[in-house]
Amino acid sequence: MSEEQFFQIFLERIRETLSRLNPVDFNNSIFTNAYLSKWNAFGETIKPQGAIVACDGSFGESSFSGGLVVIVARAIAHIYSLNDNRITSVFEVDTKAGYRLEGRTLFMKTLELRVLRRALEKALEEHIEAFGIFDGSLYLTFLHHKDRLKKISSVFEDYVRELSNILKLAEKGVKIIGVSKDSDINYLRAKVVTSVLTELCKGMSNGIARRRSLKKLLKDITSKGLECLDESLRSLCLRELEQDFSDEGLYSELTLEPGFTTPLLLAPQTIFLTGESKANGWRDTSFRRHIGKDEDLSGVLKSLDEYFSSTPIALTYWKPPNMSVVYRLDVPASLLGYSGKCEDLTEDVFLEGRDYLESMKNIVGVLNWMRHGPYAVYPIVEVDSIAKLDRSLYKSAYEPVIVEELKKRGFKVNPRKRKIRDIVLRGY
């Protein structure tokens, strides 16, 4: 009876909620044409040389009363030899334990990056070339809060250093691409929107070039009033800014043919923060000066300086042949022929040159070649299926070992009250 009552209330609430939500409108000609101007049709396939390396990982977690946490992460990379169809695997497992332990996802990502690097280095011992695929982003984003960084400093340092190691490999010519299955960012869309607005209103260029948040951009534009535009055009611009849809959603809807967006160099996330509008690159930011005064964060600062001294990540969206959706790609810009440092960028910049686009075609062509069945990049699917740490397996095989080892070392191992409730009431 209670379930029926819950469901009736749900029906009322969901209908009321969705009635206030308007579908995204892609018929805005000014902005639509600007978005499409960044699309490069390309559906050719290019067979890579040497080997393909794909990596993925997962983690399990055990939490106990008193705040004790144990993390188990594992990752696997497959080295696909294209000469003899041989597959070599590189495995690794890592664990971490502590009270009120944080940075779980970073811990797993660090392991994945390390295993990918090891596999690429192994592949290069036997092959002239290697093409690496990472399941996720290679662009560094983090919460810019000093106390938060202190809590996760050791995990964060390791993560940033492994990202830097990957970028160093790319600077030596090793192709390494980050592929994201789902992405909610709109960095590219924000860059296109700001370009259109500055073209429409010449006096607006100051300040808005560093806007990645469409909500903040909307606030800026609203305060300025857009007096330079007539009422209909002003209304059109405001409506576009109010639609906070992602880059991925945009190009999945707008594009009908396979291809990719013009690569967008991503500046350090730090310079887009409030109060950093005048910073001349990463080393000139107040955030860097702030953490530089704290000895406890000296390792964090060193790792960040190393990462930002590399070439930046170029963001692009790729639509494979015969697929209706796009995927986000993170490409080390050095692979496209760009030699500048990320730390020197003061805003996101499109790589418009013909040479850059030709280099991007060589990468996308290989990804098109890898497509198999309904999957965009089949090697990632294969390692994902192996790396996935099943919850029931973790509870039955891994966690009992953790409990036993903790007890041997004198820890009082009691399950958290929530877990006891779930076992009693729900049987798991």
Side-chain angles (χ1 to χ4, degrees), residues 328-354:
R328 170 184 168 179
L329 303 181
D330 285 15
V331 182
S334 56
L335 298 178
L336 305 179
Y338 181 83
S339 59
K341 296 181 178 180
C342 183
E343 64 184 24
D344 296 329
L345 290 175
T346 57
E347 62 179 275
D348 296 339
V349 180
F350 280 110
L351 287 178
E352 303 277 6
R354 180 178 178 181

Side-chain angles (χ1 to χ4, degrees), residues 301-397:
L301 180 59
K302 184 178 179 180
S303 65
L304 288 172
D305 280 346
E306 183 181 10
Y307 176 83
F308 290 127
S309 66
S310 300
T311 51
I313 292 297
L315 169 73
T316 187
Y317 292 91
W318 159 58
K319 175 175 279 191
N322 302 317
M323 294 193 76
S324 60
V325 297
V326 302
Y327 291 80
R328 170 184 168 179
L329 303 181
D330 285 15
V331 182
S334 56
L335 298 178
L336 305 179
Y338 181 83
S339 59
K341 296 181 178 180
C342 183
E343 64 184 24
D344 296 329
L345 290 175
T346 57
E347 62 179 275
D348 296 339
V349 180
F350 280 110
L351 287 178
E352 303 277 6
R354 180 178 178 181
D355 290 344
Y356 297 132
L357 295 181
E358 289 301 315
S359 296
M360 194 67 235
K361 286 179 180 179
N362 290 331
I363 291 172
V364 169
V366 173
L367 293 174
N368 287 340
W369 180 86
M370 287 185 203
R371 185 166 170 257
H372 179 72
Y375 308 112
V377 183
Y378 186 72
I380 286 183
V381 178
E382 198 163 49
V383 291
D384 175 74
S385 64
I386 299 173
K388 186 69 174 177
L389 184 52
D390 181 75
R391 177 180 172 83
S392 61
L393 174 64
Y394 180 81
K395 293 295 182 183
S396 64

Side-chain angles (χ1 to χ4, degrees), residues 47-223:
K47 184 176 180 178
Q49 302 296 315
I52 294 172
V53 179
C55 180
D56 203 359
S58 65
F59 74 96
E61 174 188 321
S62 297
S63 300
F64 304 98
S65 181
L68 179 61
V69 178
V70 179
I71 303 172
V72 179
R74 66 184 193 178
I76 181 173
H78 276 178
I79 303 171
Y80 299 85
S81 175
L82 300 177
N83 297 327
D84 53 14
N85 295 321
R86 179 167 47 91
I87 299 177
T88 305
S89 298
V90 177
F91 295 86
E92 192 170 337
V93 177
D94 203 356
T95 60
K96 195 172 184 65
Y99 289 92
R100 288 173 291 278
L101 195 63
E102 298 188 45
R104 298 156 171 80
T105 302
L106 287 182
F107 183 70
M108 182 192 69
K109 289 295 183 184
T110 302
L111 179 64
E112 291 178 350
L113 289 165
R114 187 164 69 241
V115 171
L116 175 64
R117 174 174 54 81
R118 285 179 51 210
L120 283 166
E121 290 169 348
K122 182 178 178 64
L124 290 171
E125 292 174 0
E126 301 181 12
H127 305 278
I128 298 175
E129 294 183 17
F131 192 107
I133 310 166
F134 180 70
D135 186 9
S137 173
L138 297 175
Y139 177 66
L140 178 62
T141 59
F142 61 99
L143 181 61
H144 290 73
H145 192 279
K146 194 168 74 168
D147 292 339
R148 165 67 176 168
L149 286 177
K150 282 185 178 181
K151 291 180 181 179
I152 63 170
S153 59
S154 62
V155 177
F156 184 75
E157 287 174 38
D158 290 342
Y159 172 63
V160 178
R161 287 199 180 99
E162 284 299 342
L163 279 175
S164 298
N165 289 336
I166 289 294
L167 293 179
K168 288 174 184 175
L169 274 180
E171 288 173 354
K172 295 177 181 179
V174 181
K175 292 183 174 62
I176 308 169
I177 311 300
V179 181
S180 298
K181 293 186 286 289
D182 295 291
S183 175
D184 295 328
I185 64 167
N186 47 27
Y187 300 165
L188 192 153
R189 182 168 167 249
K191 184 64 181 178
V192 171
V193 168
T194 55
S195 298
V196 171
L197 290 176
T198 53
E199 183 66 27
L200 291 173
C201 292
K202 303 295 184 182
M204 291 177 52
S205 58
N206 293 334
I208 72 168
R210 285 193 182 179
R211 285 303 191 202
R212 271 185 179 169
S213 168
L214 292 174
K215 290 182 179 179
K216 290 182 178 179
L217 183 57
L218 176 61
K219 185 177 179 181
D220 286 348
I221 300 306
T222 304
S223 65

